[in-house]
Amino acid sequence: MTEAIPLTTPRALADAGRQGTVGFGEYETWYRITGELRRDRAPLVTLHGGPGCTHDYLLAIADLAEQTGRAVIHYDQLGNGRSTHLPEKGTDFWTVELFLAELDNLLAALGIQGDYHLLGQSWGGMLAAEHAVRRPTGLRSLTIADSPASMELWVAEANRLRDLLPPEVQAVLLAHEADETYDHPDYQKAMQVFYDRHVCRVLPYPPEVAATFAALDADPTVYRTMNGPTEFHVVGTLRSWSIIDRLDRIAVPTQLVSGAYDEATPACVQPFADAIPDVRRHVFPESSHLPHVEEREAFMTLLTGFLATVDERVAG
């Protein structure tokens, strides 16, 4: 059984200074801004994971607004959280291109498309990389947190980590996957063993992390369509996704982060390090998939320094 380790000191989350929605075709994208948008300091836009999660579990990153005066923007991607839900939509609707268009629309609606930093976590990092390879003129830097460069690598590494679970846990997972009984309590319990090792080692989960999991349970449309029923049983439309052969097109400074116990293992992250021209890499030694939660202070220190260095380079 995973030991509950308080890897970071609990601390309150910053309040939003502004929140609302922007139209995206006939739908709406919900956003929140912490801090003031300033001409002299490019904001940081965060992209949450899933696909199908919500912004909540990334709220600790709003620390930057309080600590540095840099505005931090969170939003719920379409189909999730406070944005428009579309449970009736099928596989042809939920695409990478849809979420890229939504991001472009949000940047333009907020008037920041000419100057911004981007941080994507897990699936959000995949989406951020897809955005960056198009070389948008306003993108100042990219932070890819806990993300794979291809789903083939992700699945291979997830299966390797899964093979290290207790045999009785593996047996339960296999039995219910064969029957496709993913909502069975025994399957959920077995799945949690993996999650407590490789997704979040802070137990019990902090409220903002629990909020995202609750929202995902309430409407799993996007997650199950694009990913599948769990982090390690990927049968959705993203199962063949890869950006490896396009990574050399990323033209901005890039920070890679992950955790030593991360389901996004070194093998998943390595292609980013190999192919992005201007890249640096950091592994948080006590974290799994959520180092911004598990080692919050250290994560914010690293991110603050990276963004400041990029801003100084642009100003110089």
Side-chain angles (χ1 to χ4, degrees):
M1 185 171 182
T2 303
E3 181 183 357
I5 304 175
L7 296 177
T8 195
T9 303
R11 191 166 70 244
L13 300 170
D15 293 329
R18 169 183 162 196
Q19 53 189 311
T21 60
V22 300
F24 177 47
E26 58 188 300
Y27 314 120
E28 289 190 332
T29 300
W30 179 92
Y31 69 90
R32 63 167 268 168
I33 303 175
T34 310
E36 295 294 326
L37 292 173
R38 297 166 44 172
R39 292 181 179 273
D40 64 336
R41 192 159 296 173
L44 174 68
V45 180
T46 66
L47 308 183
H48 67 69
C53 291
T54 64
H55 80 284
D56 302 88
Y57 79 99
L58 289 178
L59 281 174
I61 295 173
D63 286 354
L64 293 184
E66 293 187 329
Q67 296 170 0
T68 69
R70 185 187 305 279
V72 178
I73 299 169
H74 291 81
Y75 74 101
D76 286 333
Q77 295 161 24
L78 190 66
N80 310 296
R82 297 158 183 80
S83 295
T84 304
H85 285 241
L86 297 160
E88 74 281 3
K89 296 294 187 181
T91 57
D92 58 335
F93 182 82
W94 302 109
T95 63
V96 173
E97 289 71 25
L98 171 75
F99 292 108
L100 285 171
E102 182 186 31
L103 173 57
D104 287 342
N105 182 73
L106 178 70
L107 295 172
L110 296 180
I112 61 171
Q113 73 273 31
D115 193 20
Y116 60 97
H117 298 276
L118 200 59
L119 180 151
Q121 197 278 332
S122 197
W123 145 254
M126 298 157 60
L127 183 62
E130 288 278 7
H131 179 80
V133 298
R134 300 183 305 164
R135 297 188 173 183
T137 56
L139 180 62
R140 184 173 287 195
S141 80
L142 178 66
T143 300
I144 299 175
D146 320 285
S147 307
S150 81
M151 291 307 286
E152 181 180 0
L153 286 171
W154 177 271
V155 170
E157 287 298 283
N159 286 333
R160 182 180 66 79
L161 295 175
R162 178 171 159 157
D163 287 343
L164 301 176
L165 298 175
E168 63 273 17
V169 173
Q170 297 184 48
V172 171
L173 293 172
L174 288 170
H176 287 284
E177 286 165 0
D179 295 336
E180 298 186 359
T181 50
Y182 306 119
D183 294 323
H184 192 283
D186 290 345
Y187 185 79
Q188 294 292 311
K189 184 178 179 180
M191 179 186 74
Q192 197 63 44
V193 176
F194 181 94
Y195 281 39
D196 289 350
R197 289 187 179 192
H198 302 297
V199 178
C200 183
R201 299 176 70 227
V202 178
L203 304 173
Y205 291 163
E208 69 273 19
V209 176
T212 285
F213 277 109
L216 183 58
D217 288 343
D219 186 355
T221 301
V222 182
Y223 186 74
R224 292 202 172 179
T225 300
M226 296 184 74
N227 183 82
T230 70
E231 295 291 274
F232 47 77
H233 192 56
V234 180
V235 293
T237 56
L238 278 178
R239 61 187 178 274
S240 61
W241 176 87
S242 175
I243 199 169
I244 292 174
D245 63 349
R246 293 175 285 143
L247 288 173
D248 60 349
R249 302 178 195 173
I250 294 177
V252 295
T254 301
Q255 175 72 62
L256 304 177
V257 299
S258 57
Y261 302 91
D262 207 326
E263 58 183 339
T265 66
C268 292
V269 178
Q270 190 61 45
F272 292 121
D274 290 340
I276 297 175
D278 184 359
V279 67
R280 67 279 298 141
R281 185 174 185 175
H282 185 83
V283 177
F284 289 91
E286 299 298 333
S287 293
S288 57
H289 198 50
L290 305 180
H292 66 279
V293 171
E294 295 163 293
E295 295 181 73
R296 182 170 168 179
E297 291 81 6
F299 185 96
M300 300 312 158
T301 297
L302 179 78
L303 183 58
T304 296
F306 169 63
L307 297 179
T309 298
V310 173
D311 285 347
E312 289 170 4
R313 183 188 303 184
V314 172

